[in-house]
């Protein structure tokens, strides 16, 4: 049926599907003019615009890649700096601990030295007090024994030198007998 429609018209009729020859010539000429104008003027502009757009996109992509690479480099640099800062902080903390331990040891040593000095001073004071008490006790015992001996003998033993010799001799004998008893 399609072949029948394209065939020559029956009996002088006009076939609406086939154009007239002058329409074909005008149509082909118009098509070539439009094709030439479009091909010579519009296509280069379109290609230029597309090329610019492609360059802009590629340039943007390249700039974005460069910016991303730079950002990654900066990020790595910051990470390195952060790691270095953490390492430095750890080193400073360790130094501070060591210094604190050293100061603590020095203070402990000073406190022990001060305690030893105080103990030695206390021992010296105790020894001095003991010696003073012993001397005072010796003098008191001598005076009491002289009074007692004077009452027993019935005469006064007021002579200081004699009294001192008697008391010293008595106390020395008493000390030596105590020393022999302890052994």
């Amino acid at each position: 049926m399609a072949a029948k429609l394209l065939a020559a018209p029956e009996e002088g009729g006009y076939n609406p599907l086939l154009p007239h020859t002058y329409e074909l010539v005008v149509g082909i000429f118009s098509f070539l003019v439009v094709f030439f104008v479009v091909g010579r003027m519009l296509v280069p502009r379109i290609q230029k615009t597309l090329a610019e757009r492609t360059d802009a996109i590629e340039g943007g992509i390249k700039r974005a890649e460069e910016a991303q690479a730079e950002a990654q480099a900066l990020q790595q640099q910051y990470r390195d700096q952060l790691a270095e800062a953490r390492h430095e902080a750890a080193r400073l903390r360790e130094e501070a601990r060591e210094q604190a331990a050293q100061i603590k040891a020095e203070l402990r040593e000073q406190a022990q030295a001060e305690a030893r000095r105080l103990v030695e001073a206390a021992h010296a004071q105790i020894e001095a007090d003991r010696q003073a008490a012993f001397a005072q006790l010796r003098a008191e015992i001598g005076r009491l024994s002289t009074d007692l001996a004077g009452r027993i003998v019935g005469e006064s033993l007021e002579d200081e030198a004699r009294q001192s010799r008697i008391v010293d001799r008595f106390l020395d004998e008493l000390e030596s007998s105590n020393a022999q008893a302890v052994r």
Side-chain angles (χ1 to χ4, degrees):
M1 188 173 213
K4 204 179 199 187
L5 289 174
L6 292 177
E10 299 177 15
E11 303 172 11
Y14 170 71
N15 188 357
L17 292 176
L18 289 176
H20 293 286
T21 310
Y22 72 90
E23 286 179 351
L24 280 177
V25 171
V26 170
I28 289 173
F29 179 72
S30 298
F31 175 76
L32 289 176
V33 169
V34 170
F35 184 74
F36 178 75
V37 169
V38 168
R40 290 287 179 185
M41 294 184 166
L42 291 178
V43 169
R45 288 182 186 172
I46 292 171
Q47 285 179 341
K48 181 181 176 188
T49 304
L50 287 175
E52 289 174 357
R53 182 166 222 150
T54 303
D55 289 343
I57 290 171
E58 287 176 359
I61 290 172
K62 187 175 181 181
R63 283 190 305 273
E65 288 173 352
E66 290 173 357
Q68 185 176 8
E70 184 178 342
Q72 287 176 346
L74 284 174
Q75 186 179 21
Q76 184 61 38
Q77 182 182 3
Y78 290 144
R79 285 180 184 159
D80 293 344
Q81 288 176 349
L82 183 61
E84 184 178 332
R86 285 180 180 159
H87 178 70
E88 182 68 18
R91 185 185 63 77
L92 290 175
R93 278 194 305 270
E94 188 59 35
E95 284 181 8
R97 282 187 194 117
E98 290 173 2
Q99 288 177 353
Q102 183 180 6
I103 291 170
K104 189 177 178 181
E106 289 174 2
L107 289 175
R108 183 178 292 130
E109 185 178 319
Q110 288 176 356
Q112 289 174 347
E114 182 66 19
R116 281 192 300 271
R117 187 189 64 78
L118 289 174
V119 167
E120 289 172 2
H123 283 303
Q125 182 64 39
I126 289 170
E127 183 61 28
D129 289 346
R130 189 181 75 73
Q131 291 294 334
F134 184 71
Q136 186 179 7
L137 185 60
R138 187 174 185 132
E140 187 64 27
I141 288 174
R143 188 184 60 73
L144 288 175
S145 55
T146 305
D147 286 347
L148 183 60
R151 286 186 186 163
I152 291 174
V153 172
E155 69 181 65
S156 174
L157 300 173
E158 293 294 325
D159 180 16
E160 279 295 318
R162 192 166 133 202
Q163 178 183 4
S164 178
R165 281 192 312 267
I166 292 171
V167 168
D168 285 340
R169 187 181 58 201
F170 173 73
L171 290 176
D172 288 339
E173 288 173 5
L174 190 63
E175 283 179 5
S176 64
S177 68
N178 278 342
Q180 288 175 358
V182 169
R183 286 184 199 171

